[in-house]
């Protein structure tokens, strides 16, 4: 018995592997009838089996399934793959801007390239196992001559944002009086049913974003669809074993106070996966670089020091820990992306005004990212009292203060008079003859360099503590020192209409 069992097992594996190859053809198959499809040996798989089989191939080939997703390599992606291998419906739980919807959209790459369906079917009927009345009657009438069409995987993704005004008719369906009148049918005939988004997404991935915002009675309508495939419409109990991969997204904190996931529905979702924000600046920079939408002239004409990129991402980390920002709402990764785009645009505009062909981002250019910050953070009461722009400025200052100690010695609040601190020469320069530096937003690169080079002590500090600083980063590093000393109360920094003033 043992050898026989082993032989059958091997046969099953070979057959299954061949079927995977057949189902993942890249060219659109030239099969147009049910009879030709049957003769080809094609075997229909459920969507969950499609996802599972194609994921197995990609894992074995060490292919990157979720390209462009950074920071989830050891956390979210393995859990998502476990859920796909387990054929589970999935709930992605996380704050905004954590790539939940993007992960769901990228799952289409795990679907077969083409799948057959009964021509004219509203719900992509499987030619071998039709579930709609239309497809059943057509196959009964035409037999092997039933026309077949092919659906590409890019057309097998449906998405719905859950809002309080979504109805059962939108998702499941309703009785269509116009159809009843045109076909001269009574309302007791199931042919008067107009299918909603979920039945039309048969054999597809269906995503419902912000599930807690869906009214409880609408969530209840999903119970049987997830469990049994029953669709109940206006008294009709239509047995339709729909083949759908559901992906839900939700926020762990119901900060909108509009609702929550109904417990029985939550119980029917196979895997709940927690997403998160980038864990460090390096990952955050990778996300911003990948997602930023930049003109080639900005990329080639504006140089961005690495420190400026670190500083930009640190603003996001500061916002997530700020007492002025609602942590339940979260701070989207989109804030850093749009802030980076604004940063380059600020430098680009200045170079257009001054006539400089190429320019370098300045720390004072960070004033241009304030609109990107104010539009992306939800403030608590204390933050509203401060004002959105003031909070944005505080976040920038806090980011500078945090990174400053990574490059230079910590600034002590109290220093011994007889011992010169590391920044004594700089503060002495400002004390002599009422020294000051003025950096305007629209000053040329030459004027900017001339203003900073007046303080020779800045060169000495950089040479001592950051001797490996690249030549093109020197001016930014000098300005960074001035801003760092101002946030540590060693220098005065004032913002005026067209620039900043250090004294």
């Amino acid at each position: 018995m043992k050898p026989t069992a082993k032989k059958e097992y091997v046969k099953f594996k070979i057959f299954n592997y061949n079927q995977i190859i057949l189902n993942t053809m890249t060219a659109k198959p030239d099969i147009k009838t049910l009879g030709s499809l049957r003769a080809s040996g094609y075997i229909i798989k459920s969507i969950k089996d499609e996802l599972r089989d194609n994921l197995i191939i990609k894992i074995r080939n060490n292919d990157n399934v979720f390209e462009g997703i950074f920071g989830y390599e050891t956390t979210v992606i393995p859990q998502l793959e476990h859920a796909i291998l387990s054929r589970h419906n999935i709930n992605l739980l996380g704050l905004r801007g954590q790539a939940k919807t993007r992960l769901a959209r990228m799952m289409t790459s795990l679907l077969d390239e083409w799948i057959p369906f009964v021509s004219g079917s509203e719900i992509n009927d499987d030619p071998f196992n039709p579930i709609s009345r239309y497809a059943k009657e057509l196959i009964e009438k035409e037999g092997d001559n039933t026309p077949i069409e092919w659906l590409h995987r890019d057309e097998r993704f449906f998405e719905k944002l859950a809002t309080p005004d979504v109805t059962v008719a939108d998702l499941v369906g309703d009785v269509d009086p116009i159809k009843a009148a045109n076909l001269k049918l009574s309302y007791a005939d199931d042919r008067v049913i107009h299918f909603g988004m979920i039945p039309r997404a048969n054999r597809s991935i269906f995503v419902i974003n912000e599930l807690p915002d869906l009214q409880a009675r609408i969530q209840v309508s999903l119970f049987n669809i997830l469990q049994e495939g029953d669709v109940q419409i206006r008294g009709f109990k239509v047995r339709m074993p729909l083949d759908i991969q559901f992906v839900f997204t939700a926020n762990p904190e119901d900060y909108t106070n509009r609702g929550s996931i109904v417990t029985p529905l939550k119980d029917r979702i196979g895997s709940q996966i927690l997403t998160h924000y980038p864990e460090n600046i390096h990952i955050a920079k990778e996300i911003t670089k990948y997602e930023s939408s930049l003109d080639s002239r900005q990329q080639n004409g504006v140089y961005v020091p690495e420190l400026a990129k670190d500083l930009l991402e640190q603003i996001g980390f500061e916002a997530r820990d700020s007492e002025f920002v609602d942590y339940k709402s979260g701070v989207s990764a989109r804030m850093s992306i749009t802030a980076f785009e604004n940063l380059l645009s600020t430098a680009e505009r200045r170079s257009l005004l001054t006539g400089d062909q190429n320019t370098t981002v300045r720390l004072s250019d960070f004033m241009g990212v304030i609109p990107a910050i104010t539009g992306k953070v939800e403030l608590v009461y204390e933050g509203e009292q401060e004002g959105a722009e003031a909070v944005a400025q505080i976040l920038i200052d806090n980011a500078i203060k945090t990174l400053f100690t990574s490059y230079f010695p910590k600034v002590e609040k109290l220093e011994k008079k007889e011992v010169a601190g590391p920044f004594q020469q700089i503060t002495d320069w400002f004390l002599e003859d009422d020294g000051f530096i003025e950096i305007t937003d629209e000053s040329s690169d030459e004027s900017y360099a001339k203003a900073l080079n007046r303080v020779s002590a800045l060169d000495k500090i950089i040479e001592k503590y950051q001797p490996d600083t690249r030549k093109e980063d020197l001016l930014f590093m000098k300005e960074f020192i001035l801003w760092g000393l101002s946030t540590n109360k060693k220098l005065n920094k004032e913002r005026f209409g067209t620039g900043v003033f250090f004294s």
Side-chain angles (χ1 to χ4, degrees), residues 82-100:
H82 298 160
I84 293 171
L85 292 173
S86 300
R87 303 181 183 88
H88 285 173
N89 291 315
I90 299 163
N91 183 26
L92 296 171
L93 196 64
L95 296 173
R96 57 181 177 167
Q98 292 184 353
K100 299 188 296 296

Side-chain angles (χ1 to χ4, degrees), residues 244-271:
I244 300 176
Q245 171 66 56
F246 280 99
V247 180
F248 304 100
T249 72
N251 286 281
E253 296 284 349
D254 188 29
Y255 63 90
T256 56
N257 296 319
R258 286 199 292 261
S260 59
I261 302 176
V262 177
T263 303
L265 177 61
K266 196 173 182 180
D267 183 56
R268 286 168 168 81
I269 300 171
S271 291

Side-chain angles (χ1 to χ4, degrees), residues 2 5 12 21 27 69 73 83 87 91 134 144 146 177 209 222 227 256 289 299 326 336 345 387 395 421 459 461 466:
K2 286 185 179 179
F12 173 78
I21 293 173
I69 303 294
E73 293 82 1
R87 303 181 183 88
N91 183 26
Y134 163 81
D144 282 351
T146 302
N209 285 313
L222 299 176
Q227 194 72 28
T256 56
K289 180 182 177 181
Q299 291 176 315
D326 185 0
S336 297
S345 297
L395 295 177
D459 292 294
I461 291 291
Q466 293 297 324

